[in-house]
Amino acid sequence: MAPAAEKVFDDGVLKPVLNCFELVKPLFEDPLVEAEDLLVLSLTEGFHNFPLHAVQEDEDDETGPLILSHPIVYVPSLSVLHKCYWSRHAPGRIHNSKEVDKLRSLVLGGIVSPDPVFQYGAKAVDQIGGILKASKTTFVRDNATLGNLGTHISTSDVLHIHLHTNYGDEKSKKGSVHGHLSQNDAEDVTFVNSPLDQAIVFNGPDSNNKLTAAQIIELQLAKGAHFNLMACASGRQGTHKVQSHRSEQQAGVITDEVMGLVPAFLFSGAGSVTSTLWPIMDEHAAVFSTYFFRAFLEARAKVRSALTSGDEELSWIDLAEIHQKAVLEMRRIYKQPSAWAGFVLSGCWNFPV
């Protein structure tokens, strides 16, 4: 799946994230922050869609980006982080790793299109299904339906979804010649300003193929599940303003909690979500996901071997480190930040083995 040589795409979507170094400069200069320290970023206002981990001092400077030196996790808010933490650490949540070797996995996706630029996702779904040993719960292309998700979502601890979102219109999706959508300002504003209407678009009949953020909040998930959500702008969030109607004196905005597909999964009981901050190429999503799950399984095997030798304290793997490895591998291959900087991990970084 991974390209054999380094590749550079001058696709015009994003240039190196420059001129913003003052935002992260204290993290490089503070002696309390050491190399390889985990950084948990909870951004506010308009920064919750900003790739702070990708900021560097200048195009040729070796200072930065942050993710070069640190595993990084984003959280919509500290209250959401608290919820994610307890979804994985609550008493009785963790199954006995010595008794259960096979992960409960659901692998689903692959864009239905004859265009060569959309063939990577389906191949990656097949490959990841093999990596996770999930042949009975791997659904490719026409079988990647909302119905199959609903059947297995409540009993899956690891989920990989590679599909479209409702970012942009159908014409722009079908007309894409690069395997991704260009970022249109009007479409982006609509997507961000209606966060509960953001949706994953499944394959199958158009009348029943969308799962919105509002619907995700009502789902019954396996507590602490990890979602790898590869779809255009799946990680973009918008402020969800809630009005109080108890009295005229109390009427007004009472929260500015961000909402979108990622917060919806976290509110619903997921422990963590990997997503993308902007429209991405099918190839990039496929390659990133393959690297991520290979590193995931390697880390899990290493920890499980320690468990069998009697070290019960080492019963977790670090998703932030796994995510960092996959992002840096993408950076090595593709160079252009549009190919690697959009992949972010949100929620709790510890995952039980």
Side-chain angles (χ1 to χ4, degrees):
M1 176 60 63
E6 296 179 348
K7 301 173 72 172
V8 178
F9 285 85
D10 185 16
D11 53 19
V13 177
L14 281 179
K15 298 300 180 184
V17 186
L18 307 174
N19 306 319
C20 304
F21 189 69
E22 293 299 317
L23 292 171
V24 297
K25 188 175 180 181
L27 295 174
F28 288 98
E29 296 180 342
D30 194 320
L32 293 177
V33 181
E34 299 181 357
E36 302 305 320
D37 280 352
L38 170 71
L39 300 181
V40 181
L41 306 180
S42 181
L43 308 182
T44 59
E45 301 299 331
F47 281 98
H48 43 255
N49 292 320
F50 188 78
L52 209 61
H53 61 282
V55 174
Q56 60 190 73
E57 190 162 9
D58 59 57
E59 196 163 351
D60 300 316
D61 197 287
E62 295 183 358
T63 304
L66 270 181
I67 200 164
L68 192 62
S69 304
H70 301 277
I72 292 176
V73 178
Y74 289 88
V75 292
S77 66
L78 295 182
S79 61
V80 173
L81 176 58
H82 181 269
K83 183 177 179 65
C84 295
Y85 177 89
W86 284 110
S87 73
R88 291 213 172 122
H89 291 77
R93 160 63 187 89
I94 308 303
H95 63 254
N96 189 323
S97 296
K98 290 185 177 180
E99 295 178 0
V100 182
D101 179 61
K102 185 178 178 182
L103 283 165
R104 300 190 304 172
S105 305
L106 175 60
V107 184
L108 184 148
I111 305 303
V112 178
S113 170
D115 197 315
V117 297
F118 287 114
Q119 304 312 304
Y120 296 93
K123 293 177 182 177
V125 166
D126 266 331
Q127 190 169 3
I128 292 166
I131 292 171
L132 296 176
K133 299 179 181 178
S135 59
K136 293 183 179 180
T137 51
T138 296
F139 302 97
V140 188
R141 288 203 173 97
D142 289 337
N143 292 319
T145 63
L146 182 55
N148 279 327
L149 177 82
T151 299
H152 300 282
I153 193 170
S154 64
T155 56
S156 300
D157 295 316
V158 178
L159 301 93
H160 170 64
I161 299 173
H162 186 132
L163 289 165
H164 280 310
T165 64
N166 60 345
Y167 184 99
D169 57 26
E170 289 303 313
K171 182 179 180 181
S172 63
K173 287 184 175 70
K174 293 177 180 178
S176 171
V177 295
H178 300 296
H180 68 84
L181 305 181
S182 61
Q183 196 154 339
N184 178 284
D185 288 344
E187 292 171 350
D188 191 67
V189 168
T190 299
F191 193 73
V192 170
N193 286 352
S194 304
L196 285 174
D197 295 328
Q198 293 179 13
I200 305 169
V201 181
F202 290 81
N203 299 331
D206 290 345
S207 60
N208 185 32
N209 71 341
K210 292 183 176 66
L211 181 66
T212 67
Q215 293 169 323
I216 289 169
I217 294 173
E218 303 297 326
L219 292 176
Q220 294 295 317
L221 307 182
K223 292 299 181 184
H226 174 73
F227 284 78
N228 191 57
L229 186 53
M230 295 294 104
C232 283
S234 60
R236 290 190 74 72
Q237 301 166 26
T239 301
H240 175 50
K241 298 185 182 297
V242 178
Q243 302 292 328
S244 171
H245 301 292
R246 288 177 291 179
S247 71
E248 291 185 4
Q249 291 181 341
Q250 293 177 315
V253 175
I254 60 174
T255 180
D256 61 354
E257 191 80 54
V258 293
M259 184 47 66
L261 295 171
V262 170
F265 277 119
L266 298 179
F267 279 121
S268 190
S272 55
V273 182
T274 308
S275 61
T276 70
L277 291 176
W278 49 73
I280 53 171
M281 291 182 69
D282 196 58
E283 176 186 347
H284 296 163
V287 175
F288 168 83
S289 299
T290 303
Y291 276 119
F292 180 89
F293 281 109
R294 281 177 179 165
F296 179 95
L297 263 292
E298 289 173 4
R300 184 173 184 266
K302 182 178 180 180
V303 172
R304 285 182 62 82
S305 92
L307 277 173
T308 57
S309 64
D311 193 347
E312 294 291 345
E313 293 185 0
L314 298 175
S315 58
W316 304 86
I317 56 176
D318 191 329
L319 294 179
E321 290 184 356
I322 293 168
H323 175 263
Q324 179 191 31
K325 288 178 182 178
V327 169
L328 292 181
E329 189 61 21
M330 292 290 291
R331 182 175 182 261
R332 181 190 68 80
I333 296 170
Y334 294 103
K335 306 298 184 184
Q336 184 73 355
S338 60
W340 60 265
F343 297 104
V344 294
L345 174 66
S346 303
C348 181
W349 53 94
N350 287 336
F351 187 88
V353 299

